[in-house]
Amino acid sequence: MSTLSLDLQLLNTLAALFLLLAFAMLAQRRVVGLVDLLALQGTLLCAATLLLAWRTGERHLYFSAVLTLALKVAFLPWLLHRLIRRLGVYWDSEPLINIPSTMLLGLLIVIFSFGLAQPIAALASTATRNGIGIAVAVVLLSFLTMITRRKAMSQVIGFLSMENGLFFGAMSATYGMPMIVELGVALDVLVAMLVLGVFFFQIREQFDSLDLHHLESLREDT
Amino acid sequence: MSATAWLTQFLEVLAALAAAPLFVGWVTQCRAWLQNKSAPSLLQPYRTIRKLFHKDAVLAEHASPLFRFAPYVVFGAMVCMTAIIPSMGTGLPFSGAADAIALVGLLATARVFMALAAMDVGTAFGSLGARREMMVGFLAEPALLMVIFVAALISSSTALPAITDSLATQPRGLYPSLAFTAVAFLLVLLAENARIPVDNPATHLELTMIHEAMLLEYSARHLALMEWASALKLFNYACIGFALFVPWGLATGAAPDPVALLTALPLLAVKLAVAGAGLAVIETVSAKLRVFRAPEFLAAAFMLAVLGLLVHLLLGA
Amino acid sequence: MAGNPLDPLSILLALLAAWVLIGMAGLARPASLRLVGRLLFPLGALVGAAIAVVALVSIVMPPERLVLAIGLPDLPFHLRRDALSCVFLFLLGAAAAGISIFSAGYFRAGEGTAPGLLCLQYHTFLASMGLVLLADDAYAFMVAWESMALASYFLVTTQHRIPDIRRAGFLYLLIAHVGAVAILLAFGVMQGGTWQFTFDAMRSASLAPAWASAAFLLALFGFGAKAGLVPLHVWLPEAHPAAPSPVSALMSGVMLKTALYGTLRVAFDLLGSPAWWWGLAPLALGLFTALYGVIFAAAQTDMKRLLAFSSIENIGIIFTGVGLAIVFNGNGMGQLAALALVAVLYHAINHAFMKSLLFVGTGCVLHATGQRNLGRLGGLIHRMPWVAWTTLIGALAIAGLPPLNGFVSEWLLLQAFLSAHEVPKAFLNMLLPLAAAIVVLAAALAAYVMVKFFGVIFLGQPREATLRHAHDAGRLERIGLVWLAAGCVLLGLAPMQLIRLLHVVPEQLGIAPPLAAATSWWMLVPVAGRQASYAPVLFLVGVAVTIAATIGGVSYFYHRRVRRAPPWDCGFVRLDARMQDTAEGFGQPIRHIFQPFFSMQRELPTPFDAAPRYRVEIGDRIWSGIYLPLAQGVHRVAQSVAWLQQGRIATYLLYSFATLLVLLGLML
């Protein structure tokens, strides 16, 4: 094994932990646990951004890190916890396919992402380009989390995790996005959260539960 | 092979035989301390084994010769395992006869014979224990093999002493693949050695038994050998963990230095003490899983091992 | 051309002809069990042993050919003996020797077919399998293949008065013929325009990659149907239990391997250098088959169906190895391809011994108790010690425990997989270690299945009172059992020489260079030079010495007194034999974990039933999802065509008239 500098090793470790958290989300049944994992993801992202900022000396990455800390570690998890308390969804029902099969599917997705990312990573010029594979894997895994869940809250958390993955990918490939883009994405996420929050209450009023299969009754009866 | 290599070999086996019950006693004591109970003395497992050897064996009326022979096979398999695992040195003459995959094969042999012996008496408890043990075993074996695979990939060999040597000489640093694999190994250790959260080693209720159910019909010297063999199994697993993840301080090379051998023994004792305390903490903090959550537990171990492999292939770390 | 009568090929042909003669001699007095049992079958066993010896000795000799003027005037039989044929001939001879000597004591009168006729069918089966392995042109191959299928069909339907057995035979014949059609098409593609159907012509024909791939896939389909790859496996669990036990042993142990022979012959010999991506099909199919087979085996309640599914699992592992070998070969990693190929061949030989041993063991149990259902057996180790202990060796061998033979082939295959990350293709270097994990999972589940098999039949208490009258195997049956068990032990303890011989096969096929260093006689080092070694004899000695030392130490320092008492019953006074685990109970964890694979129908008792019943029926999703709709579709098409059969003579005359008009019109 090659001897990398300490900060690169730390970045690699953080990348691996990031992937592990995405997997843990696949297997987690408690919605509160999902939110905690999301907060943990945000912390990892913040730490990785700070390390990268220290390593490359780019100042906008410091702002990025502070923004991540404020939004993803503090504000969004607080908002989600509040929603959970008000809606009373603490547990998710059994996922669509059982957990070992989901994890096996997740493994195949990881292999697919890694294989896909190898030629792309060859084009990038950063030292952390191996993280692109991990970012793609996290995005796809979060998508899988969204697909296999029944409660709307878990799907939203999957969506947020996807955004985390995209952010990580941007960081590994190009040392972060331009500030404008980042602020734009953050605003989008915020608005999405607010709108979804409103929708949750409407769904609950209509069906008395946040189980998504109730939505299937909203279709034309032919 | 030099004389010190043979000395290392025999010392390892003797140390394992002597220290395994002490290790189990230490884990029990730590657990009791953490749970605010007063523990039996550290030497209690020795007294139990000695007492059992003195007793007359009581066998079921229709127990077959397989039932009487199985404890010896299980014990023999565990002792042979200690001869292959580098707990004090890596210059082991017998390691050429069996590599890490054969080690997993030895574990499988012990498991199969225990299960067959449990089915031999023909009561509900034995077959229940056998069924559950095989269920845990068939999931734990791939996970353990994947852990060994990752280690073998990194060191290009499947012989445990070679793996240990290669891992001990790696440049210091953070290796996430090894970290994932270590967690996977820990989960497999908990499952295979009948520890909480998979099985309760102190229970006698059939709803929660896996390992104890298989030993229900044994008495006297057979039970003593089985108990000693389970202590040896835990000891061996701990030593495999050290060889893979904490491989420093061993007497390395085909002709090991006698001084290094002398320092390896106390170092092993320190490692075991820390590991025993850690195991007690994990057991105290976790709750026992339902039997059908055990496959998910082991699937998690398997996934972690495979993730470690993939991360190694991608990140090169 | 081999004209010298002392050439191995001529000797082998003479021995095969001896088998046919022995078979025909049975027709002299068809009803005489003594002639068939005391004379003919032991003679057949001797011939089998001779074939094994000759084949083993001639593996290292260069290939030789022969042209026999049998067959049609312009299509003589071309025959060729090379290392690949010799390996499979060794397998055939050695396994057949043990099974034949067992059958000498096994067949009883009054079980359907007359003994003499059975002798003819049996030996024709053996001889046609031998001819398949020696055939060097498509015509001889197909003649031998079809005789093999027909002879085995008659053997399967020995007890033809039972409708279920007739149905099983029909299904078997149907899928065998579907496979044979595919093989014929493959040969048709491989001749590449020369219209010569000898294998030499196929070797020298250069096909476009698309045609070569088509030929390979057709051959894989055809040989996979015979081998039992999913989804063409549905005949195996029906035919193997229906046949008498020695026939099941032959089919499982030897006939399935002829399909492996065919695949290897087509992939590596006739099609020249296979493309690497061809290997993905057998790899994926093999993995799925292995997992499917072993999961279903864990849920069975009939002992022979359990063994049939276990055969499916082993075939899956074998084809996974074949796929791996093709992938390695296509990527230029010749040494590793040779390692994978050797592992596959060794596993085939192992499986022949292990599975035959288990099947003949169940034959003894069936004769002694009349029961095939696992729920009515138990505790037979006391009444049938010979059968029990030899079957234990077979069960431990299939479970892959060292130092028996199953472990050696598994070890070699895992060593080949360990180097799979060096393959330079993007996804493969990550998928192949995952494939290794699935192989290990299948192997671990095989141990589960074997504990269930042995434990429920031989251990515990007898579940039926009639089991107390079970008798042990007869003298000839014992010889067969011991032969096969000894084969398992020997193949496990002394694999090195045989592996050195097996390595000649990839050398002759042009995959790898010859082994440079001389291998030691007691340590197995994989040919790819990794730092891994396994010395089975030392291993066994180590374990045996430890066990002996323990026994000695215990009796020296303490004592060996024993008292007998009833088993512990937890205070419940009326424990009986029905309270131990049934076969369904033992398989329940697997059914629970792998639920999506099964289609289960359960009938659970309610608290209000006067006579509570529990019933579970496990169906094959592939049968209900693919075969039944296919059969219904064919039926519907047939019915729509039946419209043509109006029943009136005038209509039929009209058909003939219309055809005549069309033909005359075409001539214009």
Side-chain angles (χ1 to χ4, degrees):
Chain A
M1 289 213 239
S2 54
T3 44
L4 304 167
S5 56
L6 183 63
D7 47 348
L8 268 180
Q9 282 180 6
L10 270 174
L11 277 169
N12 275 341
T13 317
L14 286 173
L17 283 172
F18 193 57
L19 183 63
L20 187 64
L21 281 177
F23 250 102
M25 276 201 189
L26 262 184
Q28 183 61 260
R29 278 196 182 80
R30 298 172 59 228
V31 182
V32 178
L34 276 178
V35 176
D36 290 333
L37 283 173
L38 194 67
L40 214 60
Q41 257 188 353
T43 329
L44 273 181
L45 274 179
C46 182
T49 319
L50 278 173
L51 256 175
L52 210 52
W54 176 79
R55 184 192 157 84
T56 57
E58 306 221 15
R59 289 192 53 205
H60 75 265
L61 282 176
Y62 284 110
F63 290 132
S64 212
V66 172
L67 200 63
T68 311
L69 190 67
L71 262 184
K72 294 185 186 162
V73 181
F75 179 60
L76 275 176
W78 171 80
L79 187 64
L80 285 168
H81 274 299
R82 235 181 65 140
L83 265 176
I84 289 174
R85 267 198 305 275
R86 285 182 62 186
L87 292 171
V89 276
Y90 290 102
W91 285 89
D92 201 346
S93 31
E94 287 293 318
L96 278 175
I97 36 180
N98 66 344
I99 297 226
S101 315
T102 326
M103 298 228 259
L104 194 62
L105 206 55
L107 263 183
L108 290 173
I109 289 180
V110 169
I111 294 179
F112 176 68
S113 322
F114 282 8
L116 200 62
Q118 272 171 348
I120 302 178
L123 295 170
S125 55
T126 56
T128 52
R129 53 181 172 271
N130 288 327
I132 295 180
I134 293 194
V136 176
V138 169
V139 168
L140 290 176
L141 282 174
S142 320
F143 215 136
L144 186 66
T145 317
M146 278 175 69
I147 295 175
T148 57
R149 297 287 166 161
R150 279 193 222 241
K151 288 266 161 63
M153 184 63 83
S154 324
Q155 295 198 332
V156 168
I157 294 175
F159 171 71
L160 291 171
S161 168
M162 238 167 83
E163 203 266 324
N164 282 348
L166 285 170
F167 182 76
F168 188 78
M171 227 181 47
S172 316
T174 55
Y175 288 155
M177 307 181 264
M179 209 55 195
I180 294 282
V181 176
E182 225 180 281
L183 283 176
V185 171
L187 189 64
D188 275 338
V189 172
L190 216 54
V191 169
M193 282 302 305
L194 290 172
V195 170
L196 282 166
V198 171
F199 260 120
F200 281 168
F201 282 106
Q202 288 299 324
I203 295 175
R204 229 250 313 238
E205 291 237 347
Q206 183 74 14
F207 297 109
D208 244 339
S209 135
L210 273 180
D211 215 330
L212 284 173
H213 76 263
H214 290 303
L215 285 173
E216 293 166 23
S217 58
L218 297 172
R219 60 170 180 225
E220 295 283 337
D221 276 326
T222 48
Chain B
M1 283 280 163
S2 68
T4 31
W6 286 101
L7 185 63
T8 322
Q9 180 84 82
F10 285 119
L11 211 58
E12 275 192 9
V13 176
L14 285 174
L17 278 174
L22 184 61
F23 185 54
V24 172
W26 168 246
V27 174
T28 318
Q29 249 206 355
C30 289
R31 252 172 63 170
W33 282 342
L34 284 168
Q35 293 171 4
N36 223 2
K37 297 190 260 199
S38 65
S41 112
L42 271 179
L43 302 178
Q44 187 58 30
Y46 292 107
R47 295 195 195 112
T48 314
I49 293 180
R50 187 163 167 273
K51 170 188 79 169
L52 284 172
F53 269 123
H54 278 294
K55 292 193 168 191
D56 281 3
V58 178
L59 295 177
E61 282 153 346
H62 46 265
S64 66
L66 183 73
F67 185 79
R68 292 179 69 166
F69 191 54
Y72 297 101
V73 173
V74 172
F75 186 74
M78 290 302 143
V79 170
C80 284
M81 265 179 78
T82 62
I84 312 173
I85 302 174
S87 51
M88 283 198 280
T90 57
L92 299 173
F94 284 140
S95 63
D99 67 341
I101 304 181
L103 190 87
V104 177
L106 269 174
L107 280 169
T109 310
R111 187 187 318 128
V112 164
F113 268 94
M114 257 204 283
L116 284 176
M119 292 188 79
D120 187 51
V121 187
T123 58
F125 305 107
S127 34
L128 180 76
R131 182 212 307 177
R132 286 178 176 178
E133 170 76 12
M134 292 310 290
M135 177 183 79
V136 168
F138 93 78
L139 289 168
E141 202 176 303
L144 184 61
L145 264 165
M146 284 312 284
V147 168
I148 291 179
F149 247 47
V150 176
L153 263 184
I154 298 178
S155 35
S156 308
S157 159
T158 53
L160 264 181
I163 296 180
T164 312
D165 265 332
S166 149
L167 286 175
T169 52
Q170 295 279 3
R172 300 293 161 89
L174 290 168
Y175 296 106
S177 56
L178 279 179
F180 286 176
T181 324
V183 176
F185 183 77
L186 183 64
L187 295 181
V188 171
L189 189 153
L190 291 173
E192 284 263 290
N193 289 291
R195 299 272 137 195
I196 296 179
V198 177
D199 182 17
N200 193 344
T203 185
H204 290 283
L205 304 171
E206 51 265 26
L207 280 179
T208 55
M209 285 199 280
I210 301 180
H211 182 79
E212 289 294 316
M214 295 194 294
L215 300 185
L216 215 49
E217 283 297 324
Y218 278 119
S219 57
R221 57 183 179 279
H222 301 130
L223 185 59
L225 285 173
M226 285 295 223
E227 294 280 352
W228 207 348
S230 353
L232 271 174
K233 188 171 175 182
L234 184 61
F235 187 90
N236 284 334
Y237 258 93
C239 289
I240 297 178
F242 298 146
L244 290 178
F245 305 113
V246 194
W248 308 288
L250 300 176
T252 54
D257 188 13
V259 176
L261 195 58
L262 276 177
T263 49
L265 191 51
L267 197 59
L268 180 66
V270 167
K271 287 186 199 174
L272 282 170
V274 172
L279 187 59
V281 168
I282 295 177
E283 286 207 84
T284 313
V285 164
S286 329
K288 189 179 168 311
L289 292 171
R290 283 178 51 196
V291 171
F292 279 117
R293 297 277 188 236
E296 289 174 13
F297 184 79
L298 286 162
F302 179 72
M303 297 301 152
L304 274 172
V306 176
L307 260 186
L309 174 73
L310 293 174
V311 164
H312 169 70
L313 286 174
L314 181 75
L315 295 177
Chain C
M1 296 269 214
N4 189 346
L6 287 181
D7 274 339
L9 183 54
S10 317
I11 302 181
L12 287 167
L13 273 177
L15 288 169
L16 290 179
W19 258 340
V20 177
L21 284 173
I22 293 176
M24 293 205 283
L27 285 179
R29 292 226 291 268
S32 158
L33 198 59
R34 280 197 59 161
L35 169 70
V36 166
R38 295 293 176 81
L39 182 62
L40 293 178
F41 271 99
L43 264 182
L46 277 173
V47 171
I51 289 185
V53 167
V54 171
L56 197 62
V57 162
S58 50
I59 290 183
V60 286
M61 296 192 203
E64 49 179 315
R65 298 147 199 273
L66 188 62
V67 180
L68 276 185
I70 326 178
L72 297 180
D74 275 332
L75 285 176
F77 278 7
H78 291 85
L79 300 170
R80 181 169 178 262
R81 173 204 59 78
D82 66 352
L84 187 62
S85 319
C86 283
V87 167
F88 282 92
L89 277 168
F90 166 70
L91 193 160
L92 169 66
I99 301 174
S100 295
I101 194 77
F102 175 84
S103 319
Y106 179 80
F107 285 117
R108 310 284 157 87
E111 278 186 348
T113 319
L117 199 54
L118 201 63
C119 176
L120 171 68
Q121 294 161 354
Y122 184 90
H123 289 99
T124 318
F125 185 37
L126 288 176
S128 52
M129 281 198 280
L131 196 57
V132 164
L133 298 174
L134 285 174
D136 195 41
D137 75 290
Y139 175 58
F141 189 91
M142 290 314 296
V143 166
W145 192 261
E146 287 293 325
S147 347
M148 190 175 78
L150 272 180
S152 49
Y153 167 74
F154 284 117
L155 283 170
V156 164
T157 49
T158 299
Q159 296 177 310
H160 51 83
R161 295 194 176 89
I162 305 177
D164 270 339
I165 292 187
R166 288 201 302 270
R167 193 180 143 267
F170 171 71
L171 187 62
Y172 167 52
L173 202 59
L174 178 67
I175 298 194
H177 275 99
V178 168
V181 166
I183 298 174
L184 257 178
L185 284 175
F187 281 139
V189 171
M190 281 195 286
Q191 47 84 21
T194 59
W195 294 109
Q196 292 281 359
F197 286 92
T198 59
F199 283 3
D200 275 332
M202 294 183 197
R203 283 181 194 112
S204 49
S206 55
L207 297 169
W211 282 115
S213 315
F216 177 75
L217 289 172
L218 277 171
L220 187 65
F221 182 89
F223 289 118
K226 178 61 88 182
L229 282 182
V230 165
L232 297 159
H233 67 286
V234 286
W235 61 272
L236 246 169
E238 309 286 332
H240 280 65
S245 302
V247 174
S248 311
L250 260 186
M251 285 171 67
S252 245
V254 188
M255 192 183 74
L256 300 185
K257 312 304 184 309
T258 56
L260 170 68
Y261 164 80
T263 317
L264 288 176
R265 177 67 74 191
V266 166
F268 287 108
D269 195 13
L270 297 181
L271 285 176
S273 48
W276 71 266
W277 57 268
W278 289 357
L280 295 178
L283 190 68
L285 277 176
L287 282 175
F288 189 64
T289 308
L291 209 56
Y292 199 84
V294 77
I295 291 173
F296 268 83
Q300 294 305 314
T301 54
D302 178 329
M303 60 182 178
K304 290 177 79 170
R305 265 182 89 98
L306 189 151
L307 290 178
F309 274 111
S310 167
S311 291
I312 295 180
E313 179 230 337
N314 279 291
I315 286 290
I317 294 185
I318 287 177
F319 272 84
T320 308
V322 170
L324 190 67
I326 297 180
V327 167
F328 279 147
N329 189 32
N331 280 304
M333 305 159 84
Q335 292 263 19
L336 290 171
L339 179 63
L341 199 57
V342 166
V344 161
L345 291 172
Y346 205 77
H347 194 85
I349 299 177
N350 283 345
H351 186 243
F353 276 90
M354 305 187 295
K355 197 42 73 63
S356 311
L357 179 57
L358 288 182
F359 262 115
V360 299
T362 57
C364 286
V365 169
L366 188 56
H367 262 184
T369 62
Q371 294 288 353
R372 246 169 58 184
N373 190 345
L374 285 170
R376 296 188 204 266
L377 295 168
L380 289 173
I381 194 172
H382 304 285
R383 306 287 317 164
M384 307 173 69
W386 278 88
V387 177
W389 289 102
T390 46
T391 311
L392 180 66
I393 295 179
L396 292 178
I398 291 201
L401 301 182
L404 294 172
N405 54 354
F407 178 74
V408 175
S409 52
E410 212 179 279
W411 189 77
L412 285 172
L413 195 60
L414 282 177
Q415 294 290 342
F417 265 111
L418 205 56
S419 323
H421 70 286
E422 294 166 18
V423 172
K425 294 290 184 305
F427 291 96
L428 272 185
N429 65 343
M430 291 189 264
L431 274 174
L432 286 176
L434 195 61
I438 299 185
V439 168
V440 173
L441 183 67
L445 271 169
Y448 186 108
V449 169
M450 281 304 129
V451 167
K452 167 177 165 165
F453 173 77
F454 191 77
V456 172
I457 296 180
F458 291 103
L459 300 175
Q461 304 182 36
R463 290 181 180 82
E464 294 275 323
T466 52
L467 293 176
R468 278 179 244 285
H469 305 300
H471 58 85
D472 205 354
R475 199 162 49 100
L476 285 169
E477 293 174 322
R478 279 182 210 182
I479 299 179
L481 284 167
V482 167
W483 170 276
L484 292 169
C488 289
V489 172
L490 271 174
L491 284 171
L493 287 182
M496 284 68 63
Q497 280 309 105
L498 186 58
I499 286 181
R500 193 170 177 71
L501 283 175
L502 288 178
H503 198 259
V504 175
V505 174
E507 285 167 27
Q508 264 190 18
L509 290 172
I511 299 175
L515 276 178
T519 48
S520 61
W521 65 271
W522 56 276
M523 189 181 282
L524 184 60
V525 177
V527 294
R530 298 187 68 92
Q531 255 185 304
S533 57
Y534 170 59
V537 179
L538 213 62
F539 184 93
L540 178 66
V541 166
V543 174
V545 163
T546 318
I547 295 179
T550 317
I551 300 180
V554 167
S555 36
Y556 178 71
F557 288 110
Y558 299 105
H559 58 84
R560 302 200 60 207
R561 291 194 295 268
V562 162
R563 254 192 310 134
R564 295 276 177 173
W568 189 68
D569 53 16
C570 199
F572 188 75
V573 179
R574 282 179 307 167
L575 267 190
D576 66 9
R578 284 255 151 239
M579 288 182 188
Q580 51 186 342
D581 241 1
T582 56
E584 291 97 347
F586 206 85
Q588 191 253 359
I590 307 296
R591 280 207 321 263
H592 183 95
I593 295 175
F594 291 103
Q595 211 160 5
F597 281 82
F598 301 103
S599 68
M600 277 198 289
Q601 274 144 351
R602 277 206 291 193
E603 209 181 281
L604 293 171
T606 63
F608 308 105
D609 282 340
R613 266 173 54 105
Y614 171 79
R615 197 174 142 268
V616 65
E617 200 177 295
I618 298 182
D620 196 344
R621 277 197 205 274
I622 292 185
W623 176 255
S624 49
I626 300 182
Y627 284 85
L628 281 182
L630 205 62
Q632 281 161 5
V634 167
H635 201 67
R636 255 177 292 141
V637 168
Q639 282 190 323
S640 61
V641 173
W643 161 92
L644 281 174
Q645 199 173 24
Q646 296 281 356
R648 293 172 48 193
I649 295 194
T651 326
Y652 298 148
L653 286 173
L654 189 61
Y655 291 154
S656 316
F657 187 58
T659 316
L660 194 57
L661 283 180
V662 166
L663 286 175
L664 286 173
L666 279 177
M667 264 181 25
L668 280 179

